[in-house]
Amino acid sequence: MQDPLYAFRSLAHVYRGASVLSIDRLDLPRGGMVGIIGPNGSGKSTFLRIAGFVEKPTVGEVLFNGKAAGPFAPDVRNRVTLLPQEPFLMRRTVQKNIAYGLQIRKADSRLSERVNEALAYVGLNGKDFVQRPSYALSGGEAQRVALAARLILKPEVLLLDEPTANVDAVSAQLIQSAALKAQRDWGATLIIASHDWQWLYEVSDTVLHLFKGRIFGTGRENIVFGPWESAAEKSWCKTLDDGQILRVPPPPAADATAVIEDLRVLGSESPPTGASTICTITGIISRLALEKASGKVRASALAANLPLTAVLPQAQIRGQGLYPGRRVRLAYDWTRLRWI
Amino acid sequence: MDFLVQGFLRAIELLFAGDAETFSAVSATLVVSAYSLLATLAMGLPLGFCLGYFDFRFKKQVRVVVDTLLSLPTVFIGLVVYAFFTHRGPLGEWGLLFTLPGVAVGLTILALPILIALSATAVESMDRQLRVTLMSLGADRRQLFLSTLWEARHGIIAAALTAFGRVMTEVGIAMMVGGNIKWQTRTITTAIALETNKGEFAMGIALGLLLLLISFAVNITVSFLRKRD
């Protein structure tokens, strides 16, 4: 097996006394695209800052190409670059912002030409933008210029933290295309945290799901928050907004968080009989998206206001005639549910 | 009122006549201000940067001390510097008492907290994303320091100007440490104090006008540089 590009070992990060990231062991391959999903505060940005070598973990080690590395390490400084969630441009012209990275590397030959190329990557016209001061850019333009300042460096690893969170639809599409083009053109490894799960699943080779600072799966898991009520012996439940009941085993605490991993979509077929451990609820398919890595289809459904996801073979989608808007039954074995 | 008007007219006359005594005081003022500003910048910029940029234990307490030093009485600084430089003092053998470098030392002590406090505020008010951005673009520690200083340049220039203004217009330290020696350590401010005591308003006003002119020139230069930037 190829040596991993990144190896995270016994990583933990504490911020103001609270643990924000805890990864025992994680390897990431080179050349591919890794998507990172998770709710706000799950540790995505912290993970990217540590992987981007702009912040040191409180404890643990990050190996890059097999060597321990950290902020300012010469081995990684010019090879890894991070685009933070809030684009920051210095009080200079667009040209000077984009050229900064090359200038500090003393690699300033054909500077104007390379700045124009970088701007073209993100769909901006050099002639119109190079002399503009950074404060005269819209939010979407600023984000694209900030990305161009990274792309001009042709980095080995490009980390993007919610690159499309605060921009218009056109800018979002251009940013996504530019990132993928970087991967195609010079084989950059992309690590992207985004709320756009659908896009991440479509283009990523691997998707990591971060929750409360821990990686606990690939995003196929359904997270259901408490509170839970005691229903009967050995059974607790949560009542959804429309009155449907989710059954769960006794939780460790009334407000514990449950993870449902084996959600099935039943379509018009009957629920499994004789299995008293199967809980069935009704929902509506809201989205179908192809997973690049598995070739399967992610079916997102809403049961009352609870979003749930199941990964299904393409044949099942065709066979059951599933489409967005279709009402389906969703089933899971509540004894196999786990708590986090 | 007449004596003021006459004093003003006489002051203009003195200035245009290139009065040697007046310009000796101007020269002494510029020399001590330049010495002390250079020393203040050399020490105060890195300290102000560190105070504004890094989070460390007791940072708040250090900040309180620096802010308190902003209101240090100049006669107290003069007294301490005098005590150190007098021939019985620990630094007496340096021979700095009643010299311009000696005055510059006192003025540096006065200006240092001003530059540290104001430049720390300028650096603190920078966007927190600047560090992440510079590091992610490949900056090493030195480039990070220089680029952050450059981004905070307007605030730092304002801090340096404030310190310069304070140093140029100071009288207590210049009087106590410099001794107000004619042709040697007499600065504009000590000369104004002396001439006023003697009833020589014309000379006092002439020197005051020059002080204003110098301040004007410095501010206009900075404003011009900002526009170019």
Side-chain angles (χ1 to χ4, degrees), chain B:
Chain B
M1 271 310 271
D2 277 358
F3 75 97
L4 275 178
V5 175
Q6 279 169 10
F8 185 78
L9 294 173
R10 172 86 183 117
I12 302 286
E13 210 174 287
L14 278 172
L15 288 178
F16 279 101
D19 179 63
E21 196 181 331
T22 307
F23 283 95
S24 160
V26 171
S27 156
T29 302
L30 291 177
V31 167
V32 286
S33 301
Y35 281 169
S36 65
L37 190 66
L38 284 177
T40 304
L41 287 173
M43 290 184 282
L45 265 188
L47 290 174
F49 180 86
C50 291
L51 185 59
Y53 194 75
F54 296 110
D55 287 322
F56 53 88
R57 223 175 154 195
F58 303 123
K59 176 175 174 165
K60 278 186 184 165
Q61 287 81 348
V62 172
R63 196 65 209 249
V64 169
V65 171
V66 172
D67 289 346
T68 306
L69 291 176
L70 288 174
S71 51
L72 204 58
T74 57
V75 283
F76 177 72
I77 299 174
L79 173 72
V80 173
V81 174
Y82 186 96
F84 270 77
F85 286 165
T86 188
H87 72 278
R88 286 182 299 165
L91 305 178
E93 62 192 37
W94 290 10
L96 288 175
L97 194 63
F98 305 135
T99 64
L100 290 181
V103 177
V105 170
L107 294 179
T108 303
I109 295 171
L110 174 72
L112 206 51
I114 298 171
L115 188 73
I116 292 174
L118 296 185
S119 57
T121 304
V123 172
E124 257 171 0
S125 63
M126 299 296 303
D127 196 309
R128 288 274 159 194
Q129 291 294 343
L130 174 64
R131 178 185 164 83
V132 172
T133 296
L134 295 177
M135 285 178 75
S136 67
L137 291 175
D140 60 21
R141 284 190 174 86
R142 188 184 64 86
Q143 289 158 340
L144 184 67
F145 169 71
L146 292 175
S147 296
T148 306
L149 272 188
W150 181 250
E151 287 302 300
R153 61 193 178 278
H154 295 313
I156 288 171
I157 288 171
L161 268 183
T162 308
F164 185 68
R166 185 80 184 89
V167 157
M168 234 180 38
T169 54
E170 197 287 326
V171 62
I173 296 168
M175 189 74 89
M176 290 173 80
V177 182
N180 199 18
I181 303 167
K182 197 173 179 180
W183 307 113
Q184 301 291 323
T185 59
R186 183 167 293 170
T187 62
I188 296 178
T189 51
T190 57
I192 291 174
L194 182 78
E195 299 301 332
T196 308
N197 280 340
K198 283 162 46 185
E200 291 285 340
F201 289 104
M203 178 68 100
I205 293 171
L207 290 164
L209 283 176
L210 269 175
L211 209 52
L212 270 177
L213 273 176
I214 295 169
S215 298
F216 239 151
V218 171
N219 277 300
I220 285 171
T221 309
V222 170
S223 164
F224 173 73
L225 288 175
R226 264 194 195 184
K227 268 189 193 162
R228 269 192 56 186
D229 185 41

Side-chain angles (χ1 to χ4, degrees), chain A residues 264-268 281-285 301 320-323 325-330:
Chain A
R264 281 173 282 164
V265 177
L266 299 178
S268 53
I281 53 173
T282 306
I284 293 174
I285 300 272
Q320 291 183 341
L322 300 180
Y323 53 84
R326 166 95 194 265
R327 184 170 287 274
V328 290
R329 274 174 297 167
L330 306 159

Side-chain angles (χ1 to χ4, degrees), chain A residues 64 233 247 283 317:
Chain A
F64 185 80
E233 196 184 346
R247 286 187 74 192
I317 299 289

